[in-house]
């Protein structure tokens, strides 16, 4: 009887070992899949970040160009030249517009 119990214990240990090894390999597969997914997601986020950074730079350039255009349009001499004869100069800062 003692020999029978030893064989049975060995069989139980091997089935437990098989379960542990299978669980380990399944966990390893999930780990490798998750690493691959996270890396690919990181690459896609970096691409989006670069696109957004480029858009920000383009918008900043557009804002600077519009500021320059506004400054050019705000110049007093330009406004006075647009009005031509319809404006009278009372003093340096006061203008009267004729209708």
């Amino acid at each position: 009887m003692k020999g029978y119990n030893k064989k049975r214990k060995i069989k139980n240990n091997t089935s437990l070992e098989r379960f542990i090894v299978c669980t380990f390999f399944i966990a390893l597969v999930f780990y490798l899949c998750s690493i691959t997914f996270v890396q690919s997601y990181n690459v896609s986020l970096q691409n989006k970040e670069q696109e957004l950074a480029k858009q920000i730079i383009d918008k900043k350039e557009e804002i600077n160009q519009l500021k320059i255009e506004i400054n050019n349009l705000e110049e007093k001499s330009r406004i006075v030249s647009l009005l031509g004869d319809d404006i009278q100069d009372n003093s340096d800062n006061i203008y009267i517009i004729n209708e």
Side-chain angles (χ1 to χ4, degrees):
M1 285 270 196
K2 288 185 178 182
Y4 177 72
N5 286 339
K6 286 184 179 182
K7 288 182 182 178
R8 191 169 191 194
K9 285 183 181 180
I10 291 173
K11 188 175 184 181
N12 286 342
N13 287 342
T14 58
S15 64
L16 180 62
E17 287 174 0
R18 285 182 192 164
F19 175 73
I20 291 171
V21 169
C22 288
T23 306
F24 174 75
F25 282 118
I26 290 170
L28 182 66
V29 168
F30 282 123
Y31 175 73
L32 293 175
C33 290
S34 65
I35 286 176
T36 305
F37 171 75
V38 168
Q39 286 179 348
S40 65
Y41 188 66
N42 189 22
V43 168
S44 68
L45 287 179
Q46 286 176 348
N47 288 338
K48 286 181 183 179
E49 180 186 18
Q50 289 174 354
E51 289 174 8
L52 290 175
K54 183 181 177 194
Q55 288 177 358
I56 289 171
I57 291 171
D58 291 343
K59 294 296 180 183
K60 284 182 180 180
E61 288 177 3
E62 184 178 345
I63 288 171
N64 288 335
Q65 290 174 353
L66 290 173
K67 283 181 181 180
I68 291 170
E69 186 176 341
I70 288 171
N71 288 336
N72 289 339
L73 291 174
E74 283 181 342
E75 289 179 5
K76 184 169 82 171
S77 61
R78 175 151 168 44
I79 294 173
V80 171
S81 67
L82 285 175
L83 293 174
D85 295 333
D86 295 336
I87 193 166
Q88 293 177 350
D89 187 8
N90 239 358
S91 64
D92 288 334
N93 293 329
I94 300 174
Y95 293 93
I96 300 173
I97 299 175
N98 300 329
E99 294 186 35

